[in-house]
């Protein structure tokens, strides 16, 4: 699977751990940055992640910042991206099953490496249930009615 991963400066270390772990598992990982710990703006990286999903460069995305909140908001500005903020595996799995999430966000200051891996594993192994959920997911990809 092609997986894009992006972070801000607060999550560079977790991004590196997850990217290496995903590559070891045989995934094609697109690291969208940043490379170092210098302060950056999380919206820029959330936008990059969403663009990679929208243009087909990645099948799934992992967005990381200090809390996971800001980068998830940024990623969700692109209607092609459905990014769910998760902190444990059940939410990560349900994000796929019920919401057809194509990205997850996590907070590097709030989650440990092993829990982050468990969330990613749950997210990547779950499939969208479709059915009654499809109409709702379709609504997520349209503009808000006036």
């Amino acid at each position: 699977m092609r997986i894009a991963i992006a972070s801000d400066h607060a999550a560079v270390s977790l991004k590196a751990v997850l990217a290496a772990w995903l590559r070891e598992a045989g995934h094609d990982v697109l690291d969208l940055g940043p490379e170092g710990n210098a302060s950056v703006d999380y919206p820029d990286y959330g936008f990059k992640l969403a663009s990679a999903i929208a243009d087909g460069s990645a099948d799934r995305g992992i967005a990381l910042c200090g809390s996971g909140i800001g980068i998830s908001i940024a990623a969700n500005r692109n209607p092609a991206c459905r990014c769910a903020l998760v902190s444990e595996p059940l939410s990560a799995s349900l994000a796929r099953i019920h919401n057809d999430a194509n990205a997850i966000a996590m907070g590097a200051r709030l989650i440990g490496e092993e829990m982050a891996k468990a969330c990613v594993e749950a997210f990547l192994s779950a499939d969208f249930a479709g059915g009654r959920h499809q109409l709702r997911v379709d609504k997520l990809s349209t503009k808000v009615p006036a």
Side-chain angles (χ1 to χ4, degrees):
M1 187 176 298
R2 293 172 302 166
I3 302 167
I5 189 166
S7 72
D8 71 354
H9 54 278
V12 169
S13 295
L14 181 58
K15 179 175 65 78
V17 167
L18 292 176
W21 175 72
L22 287 164
R23 286 185 181 107
E24 287 173 14
H27 296 286
D28 181 14
V29 178
L30 176 61
D31 186 337
L32 300 173
E35 296 302 317
N37 294 326
S39 182
V40 296
D41 296 331
Y42 60 80
D44 298 336
Y45 293 90
F47 297 156
K48 283 183 183 184
L49 184 102
S51 291
I53 290 170
D55 72 16
S57 299
D59 303 307
R60 299 279 184 274
I62 300 169
L64 307 164
C65 68
S67 67
I69 298 168
I71 201 163
S72 68
I73 293 170
N76 282 318
R77 298 284 312 267
N78 185 323
C81 187
R82 292 177 303 281
C83 184
L85 176 61
V86 303
S87 59
E88 38 69 38
L90 179 58
S91 293
S93 179
L94 289 173
R96 283 285 309 133
I97 295 168
H98 290 178
N99 308 112
D100 198 19
N102 49 21
I104 57 171
M106 295 179 286
R109 293 179 176 148
L110 306 175
I111 193 169
E113 289 178 8
E114 294 309 310
M115 183 59 76
K117 289 178 183 178
C119 289
V120 170
E121 191 169 51
F123 171 67
L124 295 179
S125 65
D127 293 317
F128 178 49
R132 65 186 173 95
H133 302 287
Q134 186 63 57
L135 179 62
R136 297 166 187 156
V137 170
D138 291 343
K139 288 180 179 183
L140 294 174
S141 298
T142 61
K143 290 187 176 194
V144 177

